[in-house]
Amino acid sequence: MQVGKECWRVERAEQMAVIVDAEKYFRTARVAMMGAKRRILLIGWDFDARIELEPGVDRPGEPKKLGDFMLWLVEREPDLEVFVLRWDTGAIKSLFRGSTIFTMMKWMKHKRIHTKLDGHHPTAASHHQKIVIIDDALAFCGGIDMTGDRWDTRDHRDDDPHRIQPSGKPYKPWHDAISAVQGPVAHALGELFRRRWHLAGGKKMAAGQPGGTFWPEGLEVDFHDVDVAIARSEPEMSDQEPCTRARRCSSARSRGRRSICTSRASISRRARSPRRSPSGSTRRTVPRSSSSTRRPRKAGSSRSRWIPRARG
């Protein structure tokens, strides 16, 4: 990958994993956020404070709803700050979903929870990045945002009792993926967040403090010590030039390079790994079909389209 042409940055990932479907992602993200000490940075196309990260699981003393969980985290960790950046138009529409507006009011009153609606985009456009960065040491980047209609298991069963909206209405199966990365690449994603926060009108944030080693318990590592290329797409604005490196990264993938495509950003694995497919090919991820499952909805035509072929 050519820095400045096909990608924005190339950074090292000490450990990396591909997480398929939100049941595993939400469970893993909860474990990771429990270990945060300084900052949790969240970028989302949508964000619904009413959802449960682990439907059907009760933990004494721990809130089940995402919004209450975030408040609980900052109360239990005195130095922890949370920054939430989301697309402005979608956020305005969601304010009237159930208890969302009351949760937002609680967040705005808390001195260590910071929220920002990102309107730094052309008219009728939207932001599609879905990224979570924890202490600039661990990050999740891909196609799953923490909102309704996302949670689902790998089975995608029609009658799953936990696949319901906060309103109680069931929704159809959903299939998507996200990557977990640890190391300098997480710090780079933190820099991406801080730049977007400032462009959205937020105060300039202090630089992150890279370092720290923690990997979510129970998450299998797919790759060790690999270089990761980060590609971005940004629109032309009065204060920025257009950036189409994610599209160029997609073109590079078509020439045989192994990569993971995220929403409006692309992460490409550059080094060899013990889990690499002998053929070095990539494949489109599709759910298994059976008489007891329904084909899940795709998350979007350009989101999470390719992941490395892995054994097992």
Side-chain angles (χ1 to χ4, degrees), residues 3-307:
V3 175
K5 183 177 180 180
E6 295 175 330
C7 64
W8 169 55
R9 298 267 293 271
V10 173
E11 299 291 348
R12 196 71 170 173
E14 296 160 359
Q15 298 188 106
M16 180 175 179
V18 179
I19 304 173
V20 181
D21 292 319
E23 183 269 337
K24 185 175 181 179
Y25 169 48
F26 287 174
R27 170 164 40 87
T28 303
R30 172 200 160 270
V31 173
M33 290 189 289
M34 290 279 288
K37 300 297 182 184
R38 300 188 303 270
R39 284 180 178 173
I40 298 176
L41 313 177
L42 301 103
I43 297 178
W45 174 76
D46 193 13
F47 190 90
D48 194 335
R50 303 172 300 162
I51 67 168
E52 297 180 8
L53 293 179
E54 293 185 286
V57 177
D58 292 305
R59 290 188 171 83
E62 182 179 322
K64 298 184 67 174
K65 293 184 178 180
L66 177 59
D68 296 332
F69 176 72
M70 302 302 289
L71 279 166
W72 179 72
L73 285 179
V74 295
E75 290 297 331
R76 69 191 286 271
E77 194 63 53
D79 296 325
L80 180 63
E81 290 185 282
V82 174
F83 292 78
V84 181
L85 180 65
R86 58 173 301 184
W87 173 43
D88 61 342
T89 306
I92 293 171
K93 293 178 180 179
S94 70
L95 285 177
F96 304 99
R97 293 188 303 207
S99 60
T100 299
I101 191 168
F102 301 107
T103 301
M104 294 298 292
M105 290 174 65
K106 291 179 184 178
W107 284 3
M108 292 171 68
K109 289 172 60 178
H110 201 289
K111 64 180 182 180
R112 287 185 284 116
I113 298 182
H114 317 278
T115 61
K116 183 65 62 178
L117 303 184
D118 194 347
H120 189 258
H121 57 72
T123 303
S126 66
H127 288 296
H128 269 272
Q129 291 175 345
K130 293 98 178 173
I131 308 173
V132 176
I133 306 107
I134 300 171
D135 290 344
D136 271 49
L138 177 75
F140 300 93
C141 179
I144 308 176
D145 39 4
M146 292 185 175
T147 190
D149 292 18
R150 299 296 187 271
W151 185 95
D152 203 359
T153 68
R154 294 298 305 275
D155 294 329
H156 304 295
R157 296 187 179 279
D158 285 339
D159 57 352
D160 194 317
H162 300 305
R163 200 174 57 241
I164 57 174
Q165 298 173 350
S167 64
K169 181 181 178 180
Y171 57 89
K172 295 179 181 180
W174 185 275
H175 184 60
D176 215 324
I178 198 163
S179 298
V181 290
Q182 176 185 284
V185 63
H187 177 57
L189 290 170
E191 292 182 357
L192 183 152
F193 178 95
R194 287 182 283 276
R195 176 178 177 273
R196 272 197 55 183
W197 181 268
H198 184 58
L199 287 173
K203 294 182 180 179
K204 193 169 183 178
M205 297 173 62
Q209 302 175 18
T213 301
F214 63 92
W215 186 255
E217 183 178 357
L219 179 60
E220 180 184 1
V221 178
D222 292 320
F223 312 110
H224 291 273
D225 296 319
V226 292
D227 286 336
V228 174
I230 306 171
R232 307 169 302 168
S233 286
E234 295 181 337
E236 181 177 3
M237 301 286 288
S238 60
D239 56 352
Q240 74 179 20
E241 294 294 321
C243 174
T244 58
R245 294 188 186 111
R247 185 171 62 187
R248 293 171 185 170
C249 181
S250 178
S251 176
R253 287 201 312 277
S254 70
R255 297 195 298 271
R257 299 184 183 181
R258 297 167 54 77
S259 61
I260 296 167
C261 181
T262 69
S263 67
R264 302 304 185 269
S266 184
I267 292 180
S268 176
R269 177 180 135 262
R270 294 184 46 167
R272 296 181 65 88
S273 158
R275 294 179 62 85
R276 179 167 181 164
S277 169
S279 65
S281 62
T282 58
R283 64 182 174 89
R284 187 181 299 271
T285 56
V286 294
R288 295 183 192 175
S289 60
S290 70
S291 59
S292 62
T293 62
R294 178 184 299 170
R295 184 180 181 86
R297 288 181 292 168
K298 292 181 180 179
S301 61
S302 61
R303 289 163 45 186
S304 300
R305 297 167 73 182
W306 302 90
I307 68 170

